[in-house]
Amino acid sequence: MASGGCDRTPVRLNEGPAVGSLERHRMAYTIEGSTGTWEVVVGLEVHAQVVSQAKLFSGAATAFGAEPNSQVSFVDAAFPGMLPVVNAECVTQAVRTGLGLNAQIHPVSRFDRKNYFYADLPSGYQISQFEHPIVGTGEIEVELADGSTKVIGITRLHLEQDAGKSIHDQHPTKTLIDLNRSGVALMEIVSEPDIRSPEEAGAYVRKLRSILRYLGTCDGNMEEGSMRADVNVSVRKHGEPYRTRCEVKNVNSIRFVMQAVEAEATRQVEVWESGGTVMQETRLFDSGRGITRSMRSKEDAHDYRYFPDPDLLPLVLDEDWIAALKASLPELPDAKRARFIQSYGLSPYDAAVLVAEKATAEFYETVATGRDAKIAANWITGDFFAAMNRLGRTIENPPVTAAALGGLLDLMADNTINGRIAKDVFEAMVETGKDAATIVDEKGLRQVTDAGAIDEAVNRILAANPDKVAEYRSGKDKLFGFFVGQTMKALAGKGNPALINETLKRLLAA
Amino acid sequence: MLTDLTIAAARDGLRAKDFSAVDLTMAHLHAIEALNPRLNAFITVSHAKAVDQARAADVALAAGEQRALTGIPLAIKDLFCTEGVRTTAGSKMLSPFVPPYESTVTAKLLHDGAVFLGKANLDEFAMGSSNMTSAYGPVENPWKRRQDDTAVLVPGGSSGGSAAAVSARLAMGATGTDTGGSIRQPASFCGLVGVKPTYGRCSRWGVVAFASSLDHPGPFARTVQDSAILLRSMAGHDPKDSTSANLPVPDFEAACRRGVKGLRIGIPREYRSDGMPVEIDALWQQGIDWLRAAGAEIVDVSLPHTKYGLATYYIVAPAEASSNLARYDGVRFGARENGGDLRDLYERTRAEGFGPEVRRRILIGTYVLSAGYYDAYYLRAQKIRALILKDFTDAFGRVDALLAPTAPSAAFAQGENMDDPIQMYLNDLFTVPANLAGVPAASVPAGLDANGLPLGLQVIGKPFDEETVFAVSTAIEQAARFTALPSLRAGG
């Protein structure tokens, strides 16, 4: 039985950047088999639905969740004599994505037909780009949980049509067809086989999704199917050339991508070690059982009979147009992260967390602008994220608004409240939706900054603890914290910490 | 007889109120009623719609609004989708299909005031050179052999119904499509002018596809001028067809009057094969003499890759067809044969819906695109296609147009050439190169063979220079003085 190498069982499959399980020592992910140590080789093909008003080759709309067959043109239904006309918006989005992936843009590309019969493929072929894709090689950098980064190569990005949907469970004997998705533009983004672990596979998809969302070229909603991954997995002993790979089709969440890598690699190690041979085939991931299952073998594979689509001319892009698109790209996660480190003095880790989602970065910048940027980062990655996760909210529907959180930080900055009270105020804000100032006023949480009141409280504490005062004065410095705590308690937590410190030092020294 | 008028003459007659558009349309509808049961040129006659369109034409004429084709009755090859009128493509597969849209070419004709008499018969999915593959029965060529008027001749194909209808005076003109000669060969067989314009000149939108990179819509008429009038209405840029050319449409009718003085006419030596019938060779020589006499300079040219044209064509066209016809699966429209499961439904529907020639070409096309054969067939054919285009480009560096025969024979009888598909494919020998290269070409009636059957000469021009094709065609027409009439015709 295969098991995880390096004391790192291959069961660490949590989605998210694995906050709290930071490992400083970077160890290669391996599978320990009975015949030795196995390395995992993964390449991903991600299908990302292009954000566009209309389909790739027709004017029909693309909105998700519309009535079945309500967004279908005669072109999408492949009526006789209908012809495709490429939608410039989809081409623009593909080029912008290519630029965002630091990839070569091919000034001339071509559309090919991929021929196969299926009930939800009206024309009997999918228009795709086989030999000459619109985007060539590129790369993206992914951040790993141990704080390291890794560059994953992009082989290509091409445009293609989505098929319709076959619905098998609405009628006892019939299959229903919904062609709303038929003809919707997809970008297929193919990675190099540079990925070596489930974690890297997850980090790659997460980073890719982040870039697509920043660009606005794909909404990245995997649960709606607008982004899905085909996971190519093989295993090998160290130093070997690649062995046969299997493709796990249509994996629809980052967590499942990571699990599929794990499950498929483990299966392949078992096959090799039991004297068998891994056959090239297409497999499906059974998320319920956490295993992959054979879908079709290479022998059963379709012969797609690719050939250039004679209804479409080669796609020729103007270099100036490409340059203009490049100049108009928004700030992408890597650049934003660098800027957050540079201008706000954030740690690389905090910066990475804050830029992962465009909306989070925007939230952060709203809070941080004109305030202490580090305190803003600490609050967002700390109490704010905790509340958001606890309540199952999202950054688009946050537990408190950026403006409200800023208001809370302002009350701390001008000494209206101290940090301890601020945490209570924050919870009250989450609970009531009221702003910080209102809560402070209603609950009388305004900080005590009256020197006389603090003097009086300190004197009372010192008088009540003569033995501790003596010990402190004879050198037991650690007791200072005790006096602070007692004073704060006497002031119901509302004392200004700096004033308390100063007063204590003055009176204990007397 | 109104049915004997040319389009140009009818246009003048309508303007002068010599007769009404309804008169003109009714004359043709009566001719169809009398002759179509025998000729089978129309699959569908849209009698009521035609009369409505003729009435509307008369209203327009009364208001002094005469467009290029106001009130002119035409036949439409049943490959053009016509809104609300059944469109079969000559196949059982589309027997129940009524398009909810109008093809761009027919929409342009309607916009110019044309009257549509009905949908003309054709080889199934335009695959054939005899009109024998139609699921709606063969079409009879209105022409008869002088010695043997019992033999039923084919009108050629695939646009056989269009050619027979115009030849027998059942329509003043017709639309056709030419993928490998499907306008020019029937025009030659039926004594008509047939024009295959430059690829991209006429939109393919709404035309049932056979082979997308080779399909060319174009007109049939009884005179060069009439064909120029029709083409001008049919042509023009269409944003719905990505391969449509964004170029202005010239006045083709005016180009007919240009003359050929000073033009350099190329004679492609590779078209002169050993087995060429003497009559065809003699006709060609006659054409050369006519053009020289009209002031053109005759130049010997070489199109060295001509001999590969037919083989290239019969790889490229079936390859594209195998993919284009995949949509006829019984799922969304057209005929369906229910089966146990999806695969069974496909197999039954397609076995039942397609005739043998269509099935043959789908199989050839599927084969040449298959893994392991693609490079040897399809890819190589595309390379030769590029060389054939280069042949034309090189030749057109030296000459303004080319003259060649249209077909290797006159019309043959139904049943002939039927056993051997290769023999049938040889009909396209002289016509396929222009499709592969996308250059414009016309067939003009130039003489009769020993049996009194019409023979055509082919004029091939530079890309988007249909004007020169019309000028040269007019010179041949004037010199040939082709006045022979088919035996079967309205009032005949």
Side-chain angles (χ1 to χ4, degrees), chain B residues 23 83 103 110 132 145 173 310 319 335 420 424 445:
Chain B
D23 293 339
E83 190 174 355
S103 84
L110 290 173
M132 296 299 288
R145 284 179 182 146
L310 206 56
D420 182 2
M424 190 67 91

Side-chain angles (χ1 to χ4, degrees), chain B residues 123-349:
Chain B
D123 279 303
E124 184 178 3
F125 283 103
M127 297 178 190
S129 308
S130 63
N131 214 112
M132 296 299 288
T133 72
S134 170
Y136 301 86
V139 173
E140 183 174 349
N141 189 327
W143 291 77
K144 296 287 153 196
R145 284 179 182 146
R146 210 177 273 143
Q147 278 74 25
D148 172 20
D149 65 2
T150 59
V152 178
L153 306 182
V154 303
S158 66
S159 314
S162 298
V166 178
S167 175
R169 276 66 179 161
L170 308 188
M172 306 198 86
T175 65
T177 61
D178 189 318
T179 304
S182 285
I183 290 175
R184 289 161 290 158
Q185 184 250 24
S188 181
F189 280 18
C190 293
L192 299 174
V193 177
V195 181
K196 180 202 85 70
T198 313
Y199 187 76
R201 183 65 95 182
C202 288
S203 169
R204 294 182 296 111
W205 192 88
V207 182
V208 176
F210 162 13
S212 311
S213 75
L214 297 160
D215 292 344
H216 298 67
F220 284 94
R222 293 192 289 266
T223 67
V224 177
Q225 184 188 12
D226 281 5
S227 68
I229 293 168
L230 288 173
L231 183 61
R232 194 181 184 190
S233 287
M234 294 166 70
H237 181 237
D238 180 6
K240 290 186 290 190
D241 175 357
S242 307
T243 62
S244 166
N246 192 357
L247 291 172
V249 179
D251 184 347
F252 298 129
E253 197 179 352
C256 295
R257 297 188 291 267
R258 280 184 185 179
V260 295
K261 200 174 284 292
L263 285 185
R264 294 165 64 88
I265 304 297
I267 308 302
R269 74 173 76 102
E270 289 80 7
Y271 279 50
R272 199 178 300 275
S273 64
D274 289 341
M276 180 180 277
V278 177
E279 286 177 316
I280 303 291
D281 199 29
L283 182 80
W284 193 6
Q285 189 54 52
Q286 178 71 75
I288 292 169
D289 296 342
W290 286 334
L291 291 177
R292 189 183 284 121
E297 185 188 342
I298 303 300
V299 181
D300 184 42
V301 297
S302 173
L303 301 172
H305 298 90
T306 298
K307 63 181 168 197
Y308 303 116
L310 206 56
T312 302
Y313 174 81
Y314 275 97
I315 290 170
V316 175
E320 293 182 10
S322 71
S323 178
N324 282 337
L325 270 60
R327 67 189 56 198
Y328 306 107
D329 57 8
V331 175
R332 296 165 313 285
F333 50 76
R336 171 191 285 186
E337 291 292 322
N338 279 310
D341 58 16
L342 184 62
R343 193 188 171 119
D344 201 28
L345 168 92
Y346 287 154
E347 290 179 355
R348 286 168 188 262
T349 298

Side-chain angles (χ1 to χ4, degrees), chain A residues 156-460:
Chain A
R156 58 184 280 168
L157 174 156
H158 71 251
L159 278 167
E160 63 183 27
Q161 298 174 299
D162 205 348
K165 205 164 89 184
S166 293
I167 305 156
H168 301 290
D169 56 3
Q170 301 278 305
H171 189 278
T173 57
K174 290 180 178 172
T175 294
L176 306 183
I177 307 288
D178 177 6
L179 295 180
N180 281 353
R181 235 172 51 187
S182 168
V184 165
L186 300 178
M187 296 179 284
E188 181 173 324
I189 303 165
V190 183
S191 87
E192 293 288 314
D194 290 345
I195 295 164
R196 292 288 177 274
S197 69
E199 188 206 351
E200 288 179 16
Y204 170 79
V205 178
R206 201 175 295 114
K207 183 62 176 279
L208 183 59
R209 184 175 65 179
S210 170
I211 293 170
L212 297 176
R213 283 177 169 168
Y214 267 75
L215 290 165
T217 57
C218 171
D219 66 24
N221 293 332
M222 296 186 83
E223 64 284 358
E224 288 178 7
S226 51
M227 200 171 141
R228 35 193 205 270
D230 297 343
V231 186
N232 287 282
V233 180
S234 66
V235 296
R236 64 176 175 184
K237 296 276 181 68
H238 184 69
E240 280 185 353
Y242 296 136
R243 296 196 182 201
T244 307
R245 65 185 165 83
C246 291
E247 182 179 27
V248 186
K249 276 271 188 207
N250 269 329
V251 185
N252 64 2
S253 83
I254 291 173
R255 194 158 57 95
F256 291 161
V257 165
M258 295 167 75
Q259 288 175 1
V261 170
E262 174 75 31
E264 179 56 18
T266 305
R267 182 191 74 84
Q268 290 183 15
V269 167
E270 282 170 16
V271 170
W272 289 121
E273 295 202 328
S274 62
T277 304
V278 171
M279 305 299 286
Q280 189 177 334
E281 61 179 352
T282 304
R283 301 181 68 85
L284 287 174
F285 180 62
D286 181 338
S287 58
R289 297 167 61 195
I291 58 164
T292 67
R293 279 188 286 115
S294 182
M295 188 177 151
R296 59 170 181 260
S297 71
K298 196 185 176 188
E299 287 71 42
D300 301 332
H302 295 292
D303 179 353
Y304 290 120
R305 290 173 282 122
Y306 283 101
F307 76 109
D309 191 325
D311 286 331
L312 292 160
L313 300 174
L315 189 57
V316 180
L317 306 178
D318 181 70
E319 296 285 0
D320 292 342
W321 178 78
I322 297 170
L325 281 186
K326 188 168 189 175
S328 70
L329 286 189
E331 184 182 38
L332 292 175
D334 287 346
K336 199 180 283 284
R337 179 166 172 253
R339 181 168 61 81
F340 279 14
I341 294 169
Q342 175 77 31
S343 341
Y344 296 131
L346 301 187
S347 71
Y349 180 80
D350 278 354
V353 169
L354 289 172
V355 304
E357 295 290 343
K358 192 180 181 186
T360 305
E362 281 166 2
F363 188 97
Y364 169 71
E365 291 215 84
T366 306
V367 177
T369 302
R371 305 195 174 93
D372 185 309
K374 278 184 171 172
I375 290 176
N378 290 341
W379 269 88
I380 290 170
T381 58
D383 295 69
F384 174 79
F385 276 179
M388 192 167 85
N389 292 338
R390 190 177 70 236
L391 300 172
R393 304 283 281 268
T394 62
I395 195 71
E396 288 81 12
N397 178 25
V400 301
T401 65
L405 183 57
L408 176 66
L409 265 52
D410 289 342
L411 294 182
M412 287 168 67
D414 68 9
N415 283 324
T416 305
I417 56 173
N418 64 36
R420 238 202 72 197
I421 291 294
K423 288 181 181 289
D424 297 339
V425 174
F426 178 79
E427 293 307 327
M429 289 166 74
V430 171
E431 203 171 305
T432 64
K434 293 178 182 170
D435 66 27
T438 307
I439 290 164
V440 167
D441 282 347
E442 282 177 3
K443 297 197 173 179
L445 298 175
R446 199 165 284 273
Q447 176 164 249
V448 177
T449 50
D450 173 355
I454 291 175
D455 269 16
E456 191 195 317
V458 169
N459 278 324
R460 221 173 331 121

Side-chain angles (χ1 to χ4, degrees), chain B residues 32-45:
Chain B
I32 292 169
E33 223 166 279
L35 285 173
N36 196 55
R38 174 159 178 191
L39 295 175
N40 199 28
F42 287 89
I43 292 173
T44 303
V45 179

Side-chain angles (χ1 to χ4, degrees), chain B residues 61-125:
Chain B
L61 288 163
E65 292 163 9
Q66 188 180 30
R67 291 177 178 269
L69 293 168
T70 299
I72 303 297
L74 303 176
I76 302 300
K77 186 178 186 180
D78 206 14
L79 203 64
F80 292 79
C81 290
T82 41
E83 190 174 355
V85 178
R86 184 171 80 131
T87 300
T88 67
S91 180
K92 211 171 149 182
M93 189 63 94
L94 285 177
S95 59
F97 180 61
V98 179
Y101 44 85
E102 186 77 34
S103 84
T104 297
V105 163
T106 51
K108 281 172 173 285
L109 290 170
L110 290 173
H111 176 264
D112 275 357
V115 171
F116 291 171
L117 297 165
K119 305 301 289 290
N121 206 339
L122 69 160
D123 279 303
E124 184 178 3
F125 283 103

